[in-house]
Amino acid sequence: MSQSTSLVTGNSGLHVAIIMDGNGRWAAARGRPRATGHAAGVTALRRAAEAAPTHGISTLTVYAFSADNWSRPRTEVAALLTLLRRSLAIEVDRCVTNDVRLSIVGRRDRLPDPLVRAIESAELATASGRRLWLRVAVDYSARDSMIRAAALMTHMPAPTREDFAMLLATVDNTPPAPDVDLMIRTGGEQRLSDFLLWESAYAELYFTPRMWPDFDAADLGRAVTEYRRRDRRFGGLSQAAAG
Ligand code: IPE
Ligand code: IPE
Ligand code: MG
């Protein structure tokens, strides 16, 4: 039986997280500006979201902009935030049609007002989506979220994992999500870069050299197939050994 500490969300499929890395290198390899890679990355995300339910994924959390990405050149940060705002506005109708609920995960106080308004209206418009819960992490840092959640916990007498997960959701401006089952990183690096550190305590990790703009439905299928071959023991014994 799963030892997951996740909170019940009413959907029972997989929670897959993706670190969508490699946009800049994808563009550089084609002699194009990095922003072209980010734009191609939006298309790849649309593809992944459309394929996700067919692979048994009910929650998909993707890393779009980390708190540490503020340290990139101003022009790239501005291009990314503008792309996010425009993509939200464009994709919201598609999400409604495809029964997708959209949530943005992370702090909002450092985002430009027009982006915050686009986030709020996209979340409102898609709130009843049931086929897929698409969570997009923006200005997100797992460690910062944990510090802020811990600060809210100081007056709790005996906090549980569930209490902490609830506080994390509060500081990340999202309803509580289940634990991550499968964490995918594209672009060849094998690290977590401060993404969902608490939620991924028992996640299966999957790294692929494929650059994010090239990642397609077949790649997602391969990752899920590999996940289903893994033996998740949660500290216990496998079914065969426990026999
Ligand atoms: C991931 O692609 C997208 C963001 C971090 C916003 P990168 O921009 O990190 O692309 P690479 O890793 O430089 O190729
Ligand atoms: C992680 O990628 C963040 C996103 C994909 C949004 P980075 O490219 O920022 O991570 P590092 O710098 O390689 O660790
Ligand atoms: Mg990168």
Side-chain angles (χ1 to χ4, degrees):
M1 196 176 65
S2 165
Q3 299 293 304
S4 163
T5 60
S6 67
L7 299 156
V8 176
T9 56
N11 61 15
S12 57
L14 295 180
H15 181 180
V16 172
I18 307 181
I19 301 173
M20 309 184 291
D21 197 24
N23 295 350
R25 280 164 286 162
W26 181 90
R30 286 157 183 76
R32 287 160 41 192
R34 292 178 59 83
T36 316
H38 297 316
V42 174
T43 306
L45 175 54
R46 187 184 307 129
R47 240 177 3 229
E50 279 172 6
T54 65
H55 295 296
I57 299 166
S58 56
T59 305
L60 181 64
T61 306
V62 298
Y63 210 0
F65 186 83
S66 78
D68 288 325
N69 288 149
W70 290 110
S71 68
R72 294 190 179 194
R74 286 168 66 101
T75 46
E76 179 165 352
V77 169
L80 275 165
L81 297 180
T82 302
L83 180 67
L84 262 167
R85 178 173 51 77
R86 292 201 179 132
S87 304
L88 272 174
I90 291 168
E91 299 299 326
V92 70
D93 286 348
R94 195 189 308 269
C95 288
V96 170
T97 306
N98 292 342
D99 201 17
V100 173
R101 177 180 194 180
L102 196 57
S103 296
I104 305 301
V105 183
R107 54 189 291 184
R108 297 187 183 175
D109 55 313
R110 299 188 293 196
L111 300 179
D113 286 343
L115 177 54
V116 175
R117 284 197 295 274
I119 289 170
E120 288 169 353
S121 85
E123 288 182 334
L124 194 64
T126 62
S128 62
R130 288 291 170 268
R131 189 154 180 263
L132 176 72
W133 187 18
L134 177 58
R135 305 167 75 239
V136 181
V138 176
D139 196 3
Y140 177 84
S141 155
R143 289 187 297 183
D144 288 352
S145 296
M146 288 192 278
I147 289 171
R148 279 179 289 132
L152 295 176
M153 217 164 55
T154 49
H155 297 299
M156 284 189 178
T160 62
R161 291 175 176 182
E162 285 74 16
D163 292 330
F164 189 69
M166 188 64 87
L167 293 173
L168 262 187
T170 304
V171 302
D172 286 337
N173 296 295
T174 169
D179 281 355
V180 174
D181 296 302
L182 168 64
M183 167 74 73
I184 298 171
R185 181 172 187 142
T186 63
E189 314 294 355
Q190 304 196 358
R191 54 177 173 254
L192 297 178
S193 301
D194 203 10
F195 192 41
L196 302 176
L197 300 183
W198 170 272
E199 297 86 341
S200 297
Y202 274 97
E204 296 295 327
L205 308 181
Y206 181 90
F207 300 105
T208 167
R210 185 89 77 216
M211 297 297 151
W212 174 248
D214 288 332
F215 191 86
D216 63 15
D219 293 315
L220 185 62
R222 270 187 282 276
V224 172
T225 300
E226 160 72 22
Y227 165 83
R228 296 201 192 280
R229 275 201 287 265
R230 305 259 180 105
D231 181 17
R232 300 187 80 189
R233 294 189 290 276
F234 298 99
L237 300 178
S238 65
Q239 297 283 3

